[in-house]
Amino acid sequence: MIDDRVVFEGDTTTGHFIVTDTIYAGRPARVLYSGNHHAAQSGEATDDKPELLFDYNERFMELVRGLRPQRVLLIGGGAFALPKALNREFPRIKLDVVEIDGKLYELAQTYFDYKPTRRTHIYIEDGLKFLQTTTEQYDLIIVDAFTNDSVPPSLQTTTTASLAAHHLRSGGVAAMNLIAAYYGERSAALQRQLDAFKAAFSTIDVYPAGHGQSLWLPQNFIVIAQNGTRNLQPHLRYAALSHE
């Protein structure tokens, strides 16, 4: 086991960040934290296991493996662990990554060895503004943007959901990672996203990112929206949760 070792600490335009070599989820890892070392934003394991460090990233990878998209938009880069994994496993995917904080992209390059491929384009821009101005169409849009442990409010609106739907090709899918409880008072963020997606999509499903945690407790969920009834269940490790 290794002791926690801080390799970077400093402020960016969006907050205070720490990069630490540590043990995370039982694995040696390099992790990007925001705030006062409380909210893990992104990171990667430094062992030789194939699974990504964060379970929600594994769910996104499962989705990509099942859908086989040609063009993907990712809003939120963090330490760029997901873009790095996508570039490695799917080098032919055209990937656009939108990250509002240019310093985080620098940290990803310096401390997480991220090198985008020639088919990957990085945009240092607000996610909503990108959706408002781009003319591109995508097979899959992933939203994985956080301020500490919350999705920015501007990305949880009916406007953003409608823009995402507008920029999806026929049969395309939108997916968002968020932290909330499934039941009770702490489910507000999840319900807010369900309401937003319902304004623009005909089919919405909620998948747990991990397994075994009480649904009354905050945890990562993947909310997936589409216009149509394409069965995504075979692609994801855990079953969708029922909701109204």
Side-chain angles (χ1 to χ4, degrees), residues 31-205:
V31 180
L32 173 71
Y33 293 92
S34 65
N36 296 317
H37 213 143
H38 293 306
Q41 294 293 307
S42 187
E44 57 185 7
T46 54
D47 57 23
D48 57 1
K49 297 178 181 179
E51 296 83 10
L52 298 183
L53 182 63
F54 289 89
D55 49 15
Y56 58 83
N57 278 337
E58 270 296 297
R59 304 293 82 77
F60 284 140
M61 291 296 289
E62 291 167 358
L63 191 61
V64 173
R65 291 177 190 126
L67 294 174
R68 293 288 173 174
Q70 295 181 354
R71 183 145 201 166
V72 175
L73 170 63
L74 171 59
I75 297 177
F80 283 69
L82 183 58
K84 187 175 181 179
L86 289 169
N87 289 163
R88 180 174 59 245
E89 187 169 340
F90 303 100
R92 296 191 61 80
I93 283 180
K94 292 181 179 180
L95 176 63
D96 292 344
V97 184
V98 180
E99 170 55 59
I100 194 172
D101 192 335
K103 182 66 174 179
L104 288 183
Y105 180 43
E106 293 177 14
L107 294 179
Q109 294 174 296
T110 302
Y111 297 104
F112 295 89
D113 194 32
Y114 179 62
K115 299 178 181 66
T117 66
R118 63 182 181 84
R119 297 176 73 86
T120 298
H121 293 87
I122 311 298
Y123 298 88
I124 305 304
E125 190 174 345
D126 175 82
L128 175 57
K129 290 182 179 179
F130 180 85
L131 288 172
Q132 290 171 330
T133 57
T134 187
T135 59
E136 300 294 344
Q137 296 290 110
Y138 299 93
D139 303 298
L140 174 62
I141 296 176
I142 295 173
V143 181
D144 185 24
F146 280 84
T147 301
N148 293 324
D149 60 356
S150 300
V151 177
S154 64
L155 296 177
Q156 281 202 287
T157 65
T158 56
T159 297
T160 303
S162 296
L163 285 167
H166 175 72
H167 289 294
L168 284 173
R169 293 170 175 165
S170 177
V173 169
M176 174 179 280
N177 172 37
L178 57 80
I179 298 174
Y182 190 72
Y183 298 117
E185 295 179 357
R186 290 181 285 184
S187 66
L190 176 59
Q191 189 58 56
R192 186 162 55 246
Q193 190 56 45
L194 291 175
D195 291 342
F197 272 158
K198 285 175 183 176
F201 295 93
S202 62
T203 305
I204 301 100
D205 293 295

